[in-house]
Amino acid sequence: MTDSPASVPYRVLARKYRPTDFAGLIGQEALVRTLSNAIQTGRLAHAFVLTGVRGVGKTTTARIIARALNCVGIDGKGGPTIDPCGRCEHCRAIAEDRHVDVLEMDAASRTGVDGIRELIESVRYRPTSARFKIYIVDEVHMLSTAAFNALLKTLEEPPEHVKFVFATTEIRKIPVTVLSRCQRFDLRRVEMDVLAKHFAGIAVKESAEIEPGALKLIARAADGSVRDGLSLLDQAISHGAGLVSETQVRDMLGLADRARVFDLLDSVMKGEVASALDQIADQYAAGADPAVVLQDMLELVHWLTRLKVTPDAADAVTVSETERVKGRQMSDGLSLAALTRAWQMLLKGLAETRSAPNPLQAAEMAVVRLAYAAELPTPAELVEQLRSNPQPPPAPRGPGGGGGFAGGVADAVAGQHGGGNGGGGGATALKMQPAFVAPPVQLPAMPTSFVEVAALFAEKREGVAAMQLRTQVNLVSFEAGRIEWRQHSTAAGDLAPKVARLLSEWTGRRWTVSVNSADPSQPTLTEQEAAAELRRRQDAAEHPLVKAIQAAFPEAVVEAVRELEPEMAPEPMAEYFDASIDDEMLPGEEDL
């Protein structure tokens, strides 16, 4: 008599398809290669620390290591292997969590030093039946400081029969003294394509029909976590009763249709506020979360920006036809400045939506702001308009009175009393003219060298910044809109962002200033000027006339070299030199 399906306890997919050997780990090729080579060559560390986000296989990897080190093979004579047999007593006991020499400890529930003391006391005893006694400590970052300190000495010099395997999601919370005694492995997030392929294989084993688009949605929602993805896959199979479509997964996850996200962003970027609000309302009525809608718009803006920068990204195999065709159409019609502005506004709107008491209202306000901002010109376009189209001059005075507002009032009053040039007694229309029209904004000329940048700061009365630019900054590279330098330790910490901000305000163009301490740099402007002055003095000292003067006056030195205007140039130096010698002839030289 066989048990009915209802009497057999169900195991969730995350436990049912947990890997039991290194071959079953997906997306962790570097870890598998390192551990396989270490086991094959016998270069086994005494302590391992596994880190990564939730659900990537840290605890599973720890158990696989325990099986690989303690497997004895079917005949009971084998040694450590990268391919555990899964049939010997040790492999079965470890898989069933009942091996007496493989001890798992949850540091989140035993954070104090007492639990570590018990562990240290048991370390000195040899394993009961296995080759190694293995301690697996999950969420090890939850241990207290005293517990870590108590573990240090044992962790540094454990007995030969003991191995430690630590797992954590917060590697930065583990003391450096502990990390330095362990061999560290960083488990990567599993890529979406790898997850989708893995889930497709499990769906076949579970006799479930799932559309490829639905698998991609589940893989994207898993965010690199195999366990999270398997939980979603389990839910999707139950939701669709074995036949899962992309629409069902979208409804289950509260996601908006990708084509609808394209239509929504298209309406927003065209400034069609009413259409955009109607689409958000329709998606909300269909079960979409407002925050998820904005997040989908953020992802789409990122995708369009990538297409704008690297058009070849649309030719990837994993890109859907909708993203390829509509994405190219939208990216061609939008500027990079508009996309980056949309990214910033959606990012702020998403944070507001997640914290707002009514998420739908916050999402609608974010869409309204973005729709109106989409029609605004970019800062670069505004500056270009100011430069090419100056403001018109004030309107001339009217014939019946003063100019501007006063003139318009005078015209109206004169018309009412039959005066002015109107002739009749009817009132003349009151025309309000601006009393003052601001002159066009005069932006400084764009600096073409670092010397001009320092001079501009001096001209704008930014004396401290100008002094630091001249004395405490070594230029690495300069081009219009971008400066790289190496600054002295005595320079202000905010000098680079301050210079970038002020240059952007003064010139109407975005400037980027960065500190680069690796590449070769030039001397400071003050050092360059001092070196130039020294070269001028040396060149002047080598002049034949100067040498003649120094020969006549040995104590004379060149103090300064000045450039004279052509009209201020003195008489020829030879004649001046001869005349000065004759006029200042010393006593007794008449006989020479």
Side-chain angles (χ1 to χ4, degrees):
M1 178 177 179
T2 59
D3 295 334
S4 62
S7 63
V8 179
Y10 176 71
R11 296 180 66 194
V12 296
L13 298 183
R15 295 189 59 190
K16 184 177 181 180
Y17 293 99
R18 174 176 286 175
T20 57
D21 53 17
F22 289 122
L25 284 176
I26 62 172
Q28 311 298 339
E29 290 77 9
L31 177 143
V32 172
R33 187 184 309 111
T34 303
L35 289 178
S36 300
N37 293 337
I39 293 174
Q40 285 180 339
T41 58
R43 303 175 64 89
L44 295 173
H46 61 272
F48 305 90
V49 58
L50 308 174
T51 179
V53 298
R54 77 274 179 267
V56 293
K58 299 183 293 298
T59 307
T60 299
T61 303
R63 293 174 180 172
I64 293 175
I65 292 175
R67 296 180 62 184
L69 296 182
N70 285 327
C71 179
V72 295
I74 300 177
D75 56 359
K77 299 179 181 180
T81 176
I82 61 174
D83 298 315
C85 66
R87 299 170 60 185
C88 67
E89 176 60 27
H90 298 300
C91 287
R92 294 200 308 270
I94 294 174
E96 297 170 2
D97 298 333
R98 58 178 177 82
H99 201 292
V100 68
D101 293 323
V102 178
L103 307 177
E104 290 194 28
M105 170 184 170
D106 182 17
S109 59
R110 303 182 66 181
T111 61
V113 70
D114 294 336
I116 296 300
R117 285 174 179 167
E118 295 178 8
L119 185 149
I120 295 173
E121 287 296 325
S122 65
V123 162
R124 58 183 178 178
Y125 299 107
R126 297 191 63 83
T128 303
S129 60
R131 186 179 297 109
F132 294 104
K133 181 179 285 188
I134 298 177
Y135 293 89
I136 300 175
V137 183
D138 199 8
E139 301 299 335
V140 68
H141 65 274
M142 299 293 290
L143 292 178
S144 64
T145 303
F148 275 123
N149 292 335
L151 185 63
L152 283 179
K153 190 61 179 178
T154 303
L155 188 61
E156 185 174 11
E157 298 177 358
E160 295 182 354
H161 58 270
V162 172
K163 303 292 182 184
F164 291 96
V165 184
F166 301 134
T168 178
T169 55
E170 301 286 346
I171 191 68
R172 293 179 179 85
K173 294 183 179 180
I174 301 179
V176 179
T177 51
V178 174
L179 290 177
S180 64
R181 292 166 168 83
C182 303
Q183 196 171 86
R184 172 176 170 176
F185 292 94
D186 290 83
L187 279 72
R188 302 172 50 191
R189 292 178 184 268
V190 183
E191 296 181 358
M192 190 179 71
D193 299 338
V194 178
L195 279 178
K197 184 178 180 181
H198 180 61
F199 296 158
I202 292 177
V204 172
K205 296 177 182 178
E206 293 293 317
S207 301
E209 297 182 12
I210 305 180
E211 295 181 358
L215 290 174
K216 289 184 179 180
L217 288 178
I218 295 174
R220 187 179 69 171
D223 193 23
S225 172
V226 183
R227 184 176 62 229
D228 290 1
L230 287 175
S231 299
L232 292 174
L233 180 63
D234 209 344
Q235 181 181 354
I237 294 176
S238 301
H239 181 79
L243 182 61
V244 184
S245 65
E246 184 176 352
T247 304
Q248 291 174 334
V249 173
R250 287 189 180 276
D251 294 339
M252 182 188 74
L253 299 177
L255 299 177
D257 185 10
R258 193 66 168 172
R260 300 180 70 179
V261 176
F262 270 98
D263 295 338
L264 174 59
L265 185 61
D266 188 40
S267 298
V268 170
M269 299 308 290
K270 290 179 179 178
E272 300 173 355
V273 181
S275 174
L277 293 179
D278 290 341
Q279 293 183 52
I280 287 185
D282 293 341
Q283 295 186 25
Y284 183 75
D289 186 359
V292 176
V293 173
L294 292 187
Q295 188 172 349
D296 288 343
M297 293 177 67
L298 265 173
E299 293 179 0
L300 182 53
V301 169
H302 173 262
W303 170 243
L304 297 178
T305 306
R306 284 193 60 193
L307 289 182
K308 197 75 176 178
V309 178
T310 56
D312 295 340
D315 298 330
V317 180
T318 57
V319 178
S320 64
E321 189 67 19
T322 301
E323 293 180 342
R324 179 182 297 110
V325 178
K326 299 198 68 172
R328 279 176 171 167
Q329 292 176 354
M330 290 189 63
S331 64
D332 292 340
L334 295 173
S335 65
L336 193 59
L339 289 172
T340 54
R341 180 169 57 192
W343 171 267
Q344 294 293 336
M345 297 185 68
L346 284 172
L347 202 61
K348 187 175 185 301
L350 179 60
E352 294 176 354
T353 302
R354 287 173 173 170
S355 60
N358 191 322
L360 177 60
Q361 294 177 356
E364 288 179 344
M365 291 301 297
V367 168
V368 170
R369 289 200 305 266
L370 181 57
Y372 278 95
E375 299 179 345
L376 297 177
T378 63
E381 293 172 348
L382 286 175
V383 172
E384 186 62 28
Q385 290 177 8
L386 289 174
R387 287 178 172 173
S388 59
N389 300 319
Q391 297 274 352
R397 294 178 51 140
F405 178 74
V409 174
D411 289 343
V413 173
Q416 290 176 355
H417 292 278
N421 296 332
T428 306
L430 177 62
K431 296 183 179 180
M432 297 180 60
Q433 298 292 342
F436 173 76
V437 178
V441 178
Q442 297 293 334
L443 298 175
M446 182 71 67
T448 59
S449 66
F450 189 61
V451 177
E452 294 185 5
V453 171
L456 180 59
F457 272 77
E459 178 185 345
K460 292 292 186 178
R461 299 185 181 275
E462 292 286 343
V464 177
M467 182 272 295
Q468 292 182 349
L469 290 176
R470 291 178 56 82
T471 61
Q472 301 181 31
V473 169
N474 299 87
L475 183 65
V476 175
S477 65
F478 177 90
E479 60 184 35
R482 181 176 181 84
I483 305 175
E484 290 187 11
W485 68 43
R486 178 176 62 84
Q487 64 185 41
H488 300 181
S489 58
T490 55
D494 62 342
L495 181 61
K498 178 180 180 180
V499 170
R501 176 176 56 82
L502 291 178
L503 284 177
S504 300
E505 293 178 1
W506 295 339
T507 63
R509 174 175 175 177
R510 184 174 180 273
W511 284 75
T512 302
V513 180
S514 58
V515 179
N516 184 348
S517 303
D519 296 334
S521 58
Q522 303 175 11
T524 64
L525 295 181
T526 304
E527 292 172 346
Q528 295 180 26
E529 293 173 357
E533 179 65 21
L534 180 60
R535 288 194 300 270
R536 292 176 64 188
R537 292 184 184 182
Q538 291 174 349
D539 294 341
E542 294 297 325
H543 196 278
L545 297 179
V546 177
K547 285 185 175 181
I549 294 175
Q550 289 181 328
F553 304 98
E555 297 182 358
V557 294
V558 179
E559 290 291 345
V561 180
R562 297 183 178 87
E563 297 289 344
L564 298 179
E565 297 295 335
E567 58 272 12
M568 298 177 59
E571 298 296 328
M573 287 294 297
E575 299 177 4
Y576 175 78
F577 178 69
D578 295 341
S580 60
I581 294 297
D582 293 339
D583 294 341
E584 300 181 7
M585 195 166 295
L586 299 176
E589 290 185 349
E590 294 84 359
D591 299 330
L592 294 179

